Amino acid sequence: GQEEITREIPNVSDEALVLASGQGDTTALRELFLRHGVRVARVLRRVRGVDDVDVEDLVQMTFIEVHRSSQRFDRRSSVWSWIVGIALNVSRHHVRGETRRRQLRTAAALMPQEAPSPSPYQQAAESQRVSRLLAAIDALPEPMRVVITLADIEGMKGADVARALGVSEGAIWRRLHDARKRLQARLTEEELP
């Protein structure tokens, strides 16, 4: 039965956990939460600009929906792609229309690192670059902002992003290309005197 599946949790695949959760196994759902909850929170903060106060609620709502939807998981995508798709839908309904600034560290992964011990001038210049990048990401239309976050910041493969968002991989690559061009143009435009 399901008890046997969850007794050896570290060796159980995400897919098996989803199936067990769909059959009412709360231990399996808890394990999915432990494996993916932090990453879901990170994506929601970056993509939707969700405050720490709201992020916990949205992550919980996501995993409630994971449990509800687990019998409909069709294995066409990875469990992570499926969960992130659910999280984006949950947050879209919850925080529709809100755009907030990302935390400074969100863009740190995108920015080239300066010398190991930058001068105060270098730190200020880097901080301004990060702020400009954050503003440029915030200004992107939501579909582009989502793709930049999942592909460039989270490092998801194009096929997984496509499955998570329910669109073709070609559409993902077009959005990513357009988003990168817009970011580059905006940042270049701001550097001109």
Side-chain angles (χ1 to χ4, degrees), residues 19-63:
L19 295 173
S21 171
Q23 295 171 1
D25 188 330
T26 54
T27 307
L29 182 65
R30 183 173 178 275
E31 181 64 18
L32 284 169
F33 175 80
L34 292 173
R35 290 181 186 184
H36 299 288
V38 170
R39 201 167 167 202
V40 165
R42 194 171 61 222
V43 166
L44 291 175
R45 281 189 192 99
R46 288 178 179 162
V47 172
R48 301 279 187 244
V50 178
D51 285 340
D52 287 339
V53 177
D54 295 331
V55 98
E56 270 184 57
D57 290 342
L58 289 174
V59 170
Q60 285 180 355
M61 288 165 60
T62 296
F63 282 90

